[in-house]
Amino acid sequence: MSDRAKTIPELNALTAPVGGDLLIIEDVSANTTKKITVTDLSQNFPFNSNAQYVFSNTVIFEQLTESYLPIFQGDSTANATLGFDIQTGALGNFQANVNNYAFFYIVNVNTASQASADLTIYNDSWLGAQDKWIDLGISSSNYANASWTVAGPNEGYLYTANSSMAIGANNGSLYLFAGGTLAANRKATIAANGITITSNLTINAVFAGPPTTKASNAAGNPGEICWDASYIYVCTAANTWKRATLNTY
């Protein structure tokens, strides 16, 4: 064995750590090299309740266990964790403390006709047909795909494949807006008490309703409309219907 000191890239990889093994830490500010042992990692450091070793409000590393091996970076106010967290079941945790929007950055710099940037989430179908997912994305500036024409170049989309999608607001309202980002740009509001449309509504299809004969005192709510071959019926008050005759012309 050579007496020459080895550089860090020349050191053997640690594959089966034991209590006396050393971990080398480079203290850049002091231009010195320090060491800790595997025993120090597992026993002697003051880990907090989240299995993290904290020094001066900075998480230095996570406790090394078989089922909890995330990569952690941050401090007491903003943190990021990558890797399965057995304590919470989270695959990743991203926190920020900034008086601006915090965002997750995905960029596809390819400008070709099939390029897009997507966040795609699969369920257990990933283990089989891989045919069920939800996708949030935006197409490239030159996007052109004959099998996807619901959106064009530079347009965003949210859709699910081979399944249904639920979009809503629990204990709140759902707003559809266009033409701007102000309250005046809301075109439709879906709330617990109904749907309010505040813009022109154009229907380019046949408006279908229940062709049902109604007695004048049939159950109904104001605004309901139905018809049969002879009359159109309008509910004008609770359980109160009026009708108009349909004439041939």
Side-chain angles (χ1 to χ4, degrees), residues 160-182:
T160 185
N162 301 307
S163 62
S164 300
M165 180 184 297
I167 299 177
N170 186 24
N171 297 321
S173 298
L174 185 65
Y175 303 116
L176 301 179
F177 66 94
T181 57
L182 302 178

Side-chain angles (χ1 to χ4, degrees), residues 183-201:
N185 300 114
R186 295 174 183 171
K187 304 304 180 181
T189 300
I190 303 175
N193 59 351
I195 301 175
T196 301
I197 298 175
T198 57
S199 182
N200 295 330
L201 178 63

Side-chain angles (χ1 to χ4, degrees), residues 5 39 64 144 245:
T39 300
L64 300 178
T245 302

